[in-house]
């Protein structure tokens, strides 16, 4: 076998999708990766709908793993991939044609395993595509890079100067309804506050006052969401609320912790008093 063919073989890509109860959208995510994927594996957290059968019908290898958290589920998936280069996509995302071509063309040149590749993800809200999007690392080599074990907003652990950008767009069809959006915000802010507490980050009153309006201005003005009418205004407000809720939930966790400590101190005092009486 020639050196060139060996290099190409080593550059095969495993697409890894973590999924749960998303039968209506996972098919589009899978199909959008077919042109560049050498395999597609789905890690299912316990779906009760047809997510697993849809994935299998489209040729994916499916593993079942009870939900352990976002980062742990992604790590579980990368560990079961056949190939070292991992492309991550969610069930509500679609690779556009330009991005698919870019990844296919890149496969012959993946010589530096310490490099990772970011894609531009643009999300929808109330029927409109929102702003400039965000750059997210989605292609990496698992022999050099793995996911940080965080509760939410998990990302591969790689330095910024090791990240290259790919052309094209990853479309994020994340919006289902306002009700669903609020539920997910509540879930994500819970996880982010818990993660901050676990890392020993202290509640900061100034942060709670300053960050929400700054986030609104960033999204509405600098990211151009003022051009998107009511959907843009709503997304900007939601981001401000998100920042406020994370801080407020950190404060709540602090109160809970202090209450537990106080309860233990009272129990010790009561125990000591009882011992003296005896």
């Amino acid at each position: 076998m020639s050196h060139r063919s060996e290099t190409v073989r080593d550059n095969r890509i495993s697409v890894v999708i973590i999924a749960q109860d998303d039968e209506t959208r996972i098919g589009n995510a899978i199909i959008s990766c077919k042109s560049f994927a050498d395999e597609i594996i789905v890690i299912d957290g316990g779906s009760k709908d047809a997510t697993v059968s849809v994935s299998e019908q489209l040729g994916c290898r499916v593993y079942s793993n009870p939900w352990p958290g976002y980062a742990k589920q992604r790590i579980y998936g990368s560990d079961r991939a056949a190939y070292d280069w991992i492309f991550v996509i969610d069930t509500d995302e679609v690779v556009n044609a330009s991005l698919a071509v870019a990844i296919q063309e890149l496969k012959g040149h993946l010589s530096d395993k310490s490099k990772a590749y970011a894609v531009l993800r643009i999300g929808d809200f109330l029927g409109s595509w929102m702003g400039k999007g965000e750059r997210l690392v989605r292609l990496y080599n698992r022999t050099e890079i793995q996911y940080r074990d965080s509760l939410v907003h998990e990302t591969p652990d790689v330095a910024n100067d090791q990240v290259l950008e790919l052309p094209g767009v990853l479309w994020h069809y994340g919006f289902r309804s306002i009700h669903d959006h609020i539920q997910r915000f509540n879930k994500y802010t819970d996880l982010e506050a818990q993660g901050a507490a676990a890392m020993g980050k202290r509640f900061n009153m100034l942060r709670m006052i300053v960050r929400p309006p700054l986030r609104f201005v960033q999204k509405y003005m600098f990211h151009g969401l003022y051009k998107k009418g009511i959907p843009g205004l709503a997304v900007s407000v939601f981001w401000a609320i998100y920042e406020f809720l994370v801080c407020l939930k950190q404060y709540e966790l602090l109160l809970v912790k202090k209450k537990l400590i106080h309860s233990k101190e009272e129990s010790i005092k009561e125990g000591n008093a009882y011992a003296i009486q005896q």
Side-chain angles (χ1 to χ4, degrees):
M1 181 180 292
S2 69
H3 176 72
R4 170 65 179 170
S5 60
E6 182 69 23
T7 299
V8 172
R9 185 183 69 80
D10 290 344
N11 291 351
R12 288 182 289 187
I13 292 175
S14 294
V15 172
V16 177
I17 306 174
I18 62 173
Q20 188 159 335
D21 295 319
D22 208 356
E23 63 183 3
T24 61
R25 296 187 293 186
I26 193 171
N28 289 332
I30 292 168
I31 291 168
S32 74
C33 298
K34 286 282 189 178
S35 64
F36 62 84
D38 294 288
E39 71 161 353
I40 302 176
I41 68 172
V42 173
I43 310 301
D44 185 76
S47 294
K48 295 179 173 57
D49 65 1
T51 296
V52 170
S53 61
V54 169
S55 303
E56 290 174 339
Q57 289 168 15
L58 289 172
C60 302
R61 287 195 293 124
V62 180
Y63 295 89
S64 178
N65 188 49
W67 184 251
Y70 289 100
K72 285 184 171 64
Q73 195 76 319
R74 294 199 193 279
I75 294 168
Y76 181 92
S78 70
D79 288 345
R80 276 143 191 83
Y83 311 116
D84 290 334
W85 283 99
I86 308 294
F87 182 78
V88 175
I89 185 172
D90 290 336
T91 57
D92 57 2
E93 297 172 343
V94 170
V95 173
N96 83 339
S98 297
L99 178 55
V101 169
I103 296 173
Q104 180 60 36
E105 291 178 348
L106 180 66
K107 289 174 70 173
H109 309 282
L110 291 170
S111 58
D112 189 346
K113 296 178 180 179
S114 68
K115 299 291 186 184
Y117 296 84
V119 303
L120 174 65
R121 185 175 79 160
I122 299 178
D124 69 328
F125 191 85
L126 288 172
S128 297
W129 294 110
M130 290 289 106
K132 297 181 179 179
E134 54 186 342
R135 291 283 176 181
L136 301 173
V137 174
R138 289 302 183 87
L139 178 62
Y140 65 96
N141 191 294
R142 67 180 176 184
T143 63
E144 296 285 336
I145 300 166
Q146 267 292 358
Y147 266 82
R148 299 189 187 104
D149 189 4
S150 56
L151 293 177
V152 68
H153 303 316
E154 71 287 356
T155 185
D157 193 2
V158 57
N160 289 335
D161 60 0
Q162 293 296 100
V163 177
L164 304 175
E165 295 185 1
L166 290 171
V169 176
L170 186 65
W171 297 115
H172 182 209
Y173 294 87
F175 179 78
R176 296 183 182 182
S177 67
I178 298 296
H179 177 80
D180 173 73
H181 202 75
I182 291 172
Q183 283 188 317
R184 281 186 289 150
F185 255 45
N186 197 35
K187 176 183 177 181
Y188 295 155
T189 51
D190 277 350
L191 293 173
E192 188 155 338
Q194 291 164 14
M199 293 172 62
K201 292 183 179 180
R202 296 182 178 182
F203 167 76
N204 188 309
M205 183 69 171
L206 182 61
R207 178 188 175 97
M208 188 166 73
I209 294 171
V210 171
R211 279 187 69 92
L214 286 181
R215 181 67 79 183
F216 175 86
V217 171
Q218 178 198 45
K219 294 294 180 180
Y220 197 63
M221 299 303 297
F222 293 103
H223 289 185
L225 293 187
Y226 66 89
K227 301 174 184 177
K228 298 292 184 177
I230 290 177
L233 175 63
V235 167
S236 302
V237 170
F238 270 126
W239 271 110
I241 293 172
Y242 186 96
E243 294 287 354
F244 181 78
L245 284 177
V246 169
C247 292
L248 187 60
K249 289 180 178 183
Q250 279 185 265
Y251 181 68
E252 180 185 34
L253 290 173
L254 178 64
L255 291 181
V256 170
K257 183 179 180 181
K258 285 183 176 179
K259 183 177 180 181
L260 289 175
I261 293 173
H262 180 70
S263 297
K264 288 180 181 179
E265 290 175 347
E266 290 299 317
S267 297
I268 292 171
K269 288 179 182 179
E270 290 177 3
N272 290 339
Y274 179 78
I276 292 171
Q277 291 176 1
Q278 298 299 311

